[in-house]
Amino acid sequence: MFPRIPMLSYDVVVIGGGPAGMAAAIRAKELGLKVLLLDENDYLGGILPQCIHPGFGLHYYREELTGPEFASRLAKRLVELGVEYRTAARVLEIKNYSDLEKVVIFTSPGGAYQVWAKAVIYAAGARERHAFEIGIVGDRVSGIYTAGEAQTLMDLYGIMPGKEIVIVGSGDVGLIMARRFALEGAKVKAVVELMPYPGGLARNVMILRDFNIPLYLSHKVVEVRGKGRVERVKVVKVDENLNEIPGSEFWIEADTLIISAGLVPSVKKLKKIGVEIDPATGGPVVNDRLETSVPGIFVAGNSLLINDLVDYVAEQGELAAEGTKEFIENGGIESRKWVKVEKGENVRLIAPHYLSGDRDVYLYLRVSKPMEDVELRIPEIDKGMKLPVVKPAEMLRIKLKAEEIRKAEKLTVEVVKA
Amino acid sequence: MKTKVAIIGAGISGASIARVLSRYENLEVHLIEKAPDVGWGVSKANTALIHGGYDDDPEKYPTRAKLCIRGNRLWHQWVKELEIPHVWNGALIVATKDEDFDELERLLERGRKNGVPEMRIVDRDELFHLEPNLTREAIGALWVPIVGQIGPIPAVIAITENAVANGVKTHLETEVTGIKVENGEVKGVETKDGFIEADIVINAAGLYADRIARMAGIDYFEIHPRKGEYWIFDDDVPGPKRVLFPTPTPISKGIVVTTEISGHLMIGPNAQDLPPEEKENLATTREGLEQVWEGAKKLWPQLPPRNKVIRTFAGLRPEPTGGDFIIKAEEEVWGFINVAGIRSPGLTSAPAIAYEVAEIIKRDLGIELKEKEKWNPYRKEISHFFTMTPEQVNEAIKKNPAYGKIVCRCNNVSEGDILEAIERMKFIGVKTPSVDSVKFRTKATTGTCQGSFCRPKIVQLLAREYGVEPWKVTLKGKGSEIGIGDVKVLLRGDA
């Protein structure tokens, strides 16, 4: 069952060296655990080193940083603490040998190893949806990139992908790439958004005005044509039910199509060991220690749910690390009557899913549709919170006190007109 | 004096012919291809099946009927000699109506006539034992155990590597512009890169076989493209164990549901006839993909949600006038051999086509073929991390640490695999570095994320190994460069 390869032994293995994984490894080390961090890239930081724009760290460090700055702060702390880490180390398999014995098999230029650990923190991030997944047909030519791939090409490898750009999706990544292309002298001809409202944070939607970039709301890109390289893309208008309006098609000439159509948590390896997945978040179902349905397997960051701020990602990493400490000390997270968190009106997704009531908790949630003058309510405990505006793009984070949680058997979170 | 042979087209037919002709010491074989790499035409996009040989009516299509079953047998040998990825999983032609059994009986009868072994009709119980997730409307099927699946481009690559190892000269990115004919005999091939002298010219130009034939003054046939579209789904979507066909109609073999050799559920193709000039029209269409979806659903009702698709693609089949393969030495131009209209079952027939061409050279051109004393029938597949055990990985790392480093995370392709692929590209004469050349050799970029994480890394490796700037690396040949310059190129104003 186990390969004959060198064996390593740790308390905790952290999979993924992005902000969630680094924050988790740092916290685990601070708590006195023997921890190993594994990352597949040649460097730590995950996706942050290519996010050269500012906007990171306002909550976590209380100052505004760029992606590389945020990553290097964490990396510096990690090194100061003497956290063991390996880069260019790709995890091939996680085995759940028993509740207190996990085996992580990884490969690296230095060899393939099996790591035996008591707990695992999975912080492997997310992947981007690609053109095929969103139903774009036509020619399979050069010039079609996900936003992240374009960012890698430009800001890690110094390659300019193209000069006339159409961007699918007005989420933060799409908008930031629109600015990035404009700053390097490319003509961003359109940002095309399926929904009737922009998908990104307000501060990023401003980019479109600043750089005079046309935004097509309630539109979608359906086809790409070109010989060798993208030459034009076909756009069509959709009605309020997102159905295409016949006759509304038009073509935009462009040499580059950027797909920014959302992220999907990378959890295939967790599914293989039976971790229960929440279809709404795409990530695991977790308790308030961020432990999954498989004891001793914890999750943080975009593998848990797609976050909009790196600050929350790092916070989740720390929380997961604290969970592993408790797990290891007590031989498991004590079973109890968990308070279930349920989605009410206009709540598309929410995590964590089960609360203990022995501690304060942050709930992370997203709404289904934008609304103004709303109240976020939890009727069971008579809690309410007024909000001027909610948008699917902006994750809501609310704090519940332990004593509030203990008052109910379940909590329904809803966002309703105030 | 050696007889010089020029083969036009390095698809499955041309490459197979090159391999078979490389056995003979009195032939000097040149394999000419306009694309930057082998197998990028018709061979690239099809259903990747090694057919059973029951489908082709020996009265109407005698060449197809004869070569398909012969090809199937030869593939059983070639996949071993050349280590071509394959699976022999058999096919079920599924009946959903009582009348379908009449057609299945006809196919069974025809199959027996063509020499297809071990075919039989299975009843509903056995069918659901074989394929529990099949449509509940299925009432029986024809079981053809000798059907298999291969990687068509890996096959062309393997065959070409073996041919080159046995002395075949490749001319990639070399577009043919004319055939030189003097006094009713071929003299050679004119290309954009100069003249290639030849005593025998073999036209295996796929969709362009009609144009090449016309260059030699032969115009009795036309090739029109027939487009087929496909969906491929992520590898966590359950697919059938066997190749599933509906009962064929007079028009079509129908839309196939299968798990291709990398473990992905694949459905397709439809069939859309295009005018002869649309030989590059590889665009997928919503209508076509819709048609495939509806067709596949009839056999396999539990199609996954559409966002489980990882790729849709289209391929073109070269449909000849008359419908049968055109494989013959042309009488009015001595030395000119057509291998044209190699539509389905062309992939299956390819090895048999190659032996047929050798036979034509002997019989019709009267050239005695002398076998080499030393001819190497074997070729080793490149290393694939995903087939290695962790112990084997640690062995490989001793040779080169790159074997331990994963580049494509979805399919576990290592940097070592990719470096081997690049070496093999150079070995067969690939001049322009393309991500697709690496993809077809390693499976990198073909997984869940479709390359968004690993493509930039592959570009870096190609740039380094080919000594070019990274933005000049192409996706699939000149005109499909990854970028337009370095990141400041537009601001400098010299793009």
Side-chain angles (χ1 to χ4, degrees), chain A residues 3-6 40-42 88 90 92 105 107-109 111-112 126-128 130 132-133 137-142 145-146 149 152-154 157-163 183-186 220 222 225 227-229 244 266 268 271, chain B residues 234-236 281-284 286 289 307 309-314 385 390-391 393-394 397 401 404-406 409 412 448-453 455-457 460 470-471 475-476 479-491:
Chain A
R4 288 188 303 279
I5 53 175
E40 64 180 351
N41 282 323
D42 291 341
R90 170 71 185 167
L92 302 172
I105 295 174
T107 182
S108 68
R127 69 168 182 89
E128 298 173 279
H130 52 71
F132 297 105
E133 256 173 308
V137 300
D139 293 312
R140 293 161 304 289
V141 288
S142 183
Y145 309 91
T146 62
E149 185 183 358
T152 307
L153 289 172
M154 291 172 80
Y157 297 146
I159 299 170
M160 190 65 189
K163 57 182 171 196
L183 284 171
E184 295 300 351
K220 68 197 263 201
V222 291
R225 296 309 297 263
K227 213 180 162 215
R229 176 90 199 189
E244 292 168 24
S266 294
K268 265 193 183 175
K271 281 188 194 167
Chain B
D234 205 355
D235 56 8
D236 56 0
N281 179 349
L282 284 161
T284 53
R286 300 173 106 189
L289 290 170
N307 62 11
V309 67
I310 58 168
R311 198 168 182 83
T312 52
F313 66 96
F385 184 98
E391 291 90 338
V393 170
N394 280 345
I397 286 170
K405 185 171 179 182
I406 296 299
R409 55 158 82 168
N412 283 340
T448 311
C449 87
Q450 286 292 302
S452 62
F453 285 110
R455 200 167 13 244
K457 295 178 187 169
Q460 287 290 308
W471 45 89
L475 185 65
K476 41 174 81 174
S480 69
E481 284 72 14
I482 290 298
I484 55 170
D486 70 273
V487 77
K488 296 294 173 195
V489 68
L490 291 174
L491 294 179

Side-chain angles (χ1 to χ4, degrees), chain A residues 27-100:
Chain A
R27 189 77 189 115
K29 182 78 177 179
E30 285 169 349
L31 292 169
L33 298 172
K34 190 178 181 224
V35 58
L36 175 66
L37 175 74
L38 300 173
D39 191 86
E40 64 180 351
N41 282 323
D42 291 341
Y43 47 84
L44 292 174
I47 214 73
L48 287 176
Q50 68 185 51
C51 301
I52 63 171
H53 51 281
F56 298 89
L58 285 167
H59 299 257
Y60 196 74
Y61 288 117
R62 310 229 166 256
E63 60 181 299
E64 191 173 24
L65 305 172
T66 63
E69 286 168 338
F70 191 102
S72 59
R73 284 212 187 177
L74 283 174
K76 194 162 166 250
R77 176 80 181 133
L78 189 107
V79 171
E80 274 168 12
L81 284 170
V83 174
E84 290 178 64
Y85 67 91
R86 297 198 185 207
T87 52
R90 170 71 185 167
V91 171
L92 302 172
E93 197 184 353
I94 304 165
K95 290 176 196 266
N96 184 37
Y97 188 65
S98 75
D99 279 2
L100 284 161

Side-chain angles (χ1 to χ4, degrees), chain B residues 7 9-16 18 31-45 151-164 168-173 379 424-425 427-432 434 436-441:
Chain B
I7 302 165
I12 193 70
S13 303
S16 298
L31 182 60
I32 305 165
E33 169 58 50
K34 77 170 157 44
D37 198 351
V38 298
W40 282 14
V42 175
S43 307
K44 180 161 94 169
I153 308 190
V156 182
I157 292 165
I159 294 166
T160 306
E161 284 177 6
N162 180 243
V164 169
V168 170
K169 292 190 178 63
T170 59
H171 306 259
L172 301 181
E173 265 177 283
R379 170 265 182 193
R424 301 279 186 111
M425 285 156 60
F427 176 69
I428 66 160
V430 174
K431 288 179 278 200
T432 299
S434 300
D436 268 8
S437 289
V438 170
K439 159 175 140 176
F440 295 131
R441 285 167 177 82

Side-chain angles (χ1 to χ4, degrees), chain A residues 286-349:
Chain A
V286 292
N287 61 28
D288 56 10
R289 276 75 171 164
L290 303 187
E291 185 189 31
T292 68
S293 63
V294 174
I297 306 284
F298 294 76
V299 63
N302 278 356
S303 288
L304 167 63
L305 83 169
I306 302 307
N307 289 268
D308 48 7
L309 294 180
V310 70
D311 309 74
Y312 300 160
V313 163
E315 170 182 291
Q316 291 155 12
E318 292 180 355
L319 185 60
E322 285 155 15
T324 61
K325 169 80 173 172
E326 181 188 348
F327 179 88
I328 291 166
E329 275 185 352
N330 301 340
I333 302 293
E334 195 189 331
S335 66
R336 69 194 78 218
K337 203 159 179 294
W338 296 96
V339 176
K340 190 168 191 304
V341 178
E342 294 194 346
K343 291 178 286 180
E345 197 180 318
N346 198 21
V347 172
R348 184 163 66 87
L349 56 86

Side-chain angles (χ1 to χ4, degrees), chain B residues 89-147:
Chain B
N89 55 340
L92 289 162
I93 301 100
V94 178
T96 51
K97 307 186 289 292
D98 286 335
E99 311 87 275
D100 288 348
F101 282 107
D102 300 341
E103 180 61 20
L104 295 188
E105 288 292 344
R106 261 195 299 278
L107 293 177
L108 181 63
E109 183 52 38
R110 188 188 293 162
R112 284 183 179 144
K113 214 183 279 174
N114 287 352
V116 183
E118 297 175 62
M119 297 172 79
R120 64 188 172 85
I121 305 273
V122 296
D123 64 15
R124 194 170 193 273
D125 284 353
E126 188 176 355
L127 181 57
F128 280 102
H129 177 72
L130 292 171
E131 289 295 343
N133 294 323
L134 203 56
T135 171
R136 302 318 288 175
E137 284 170 30
I139 51 176
L142 177 63
W143 167 232
V144 192
I146 64 161
V147 170

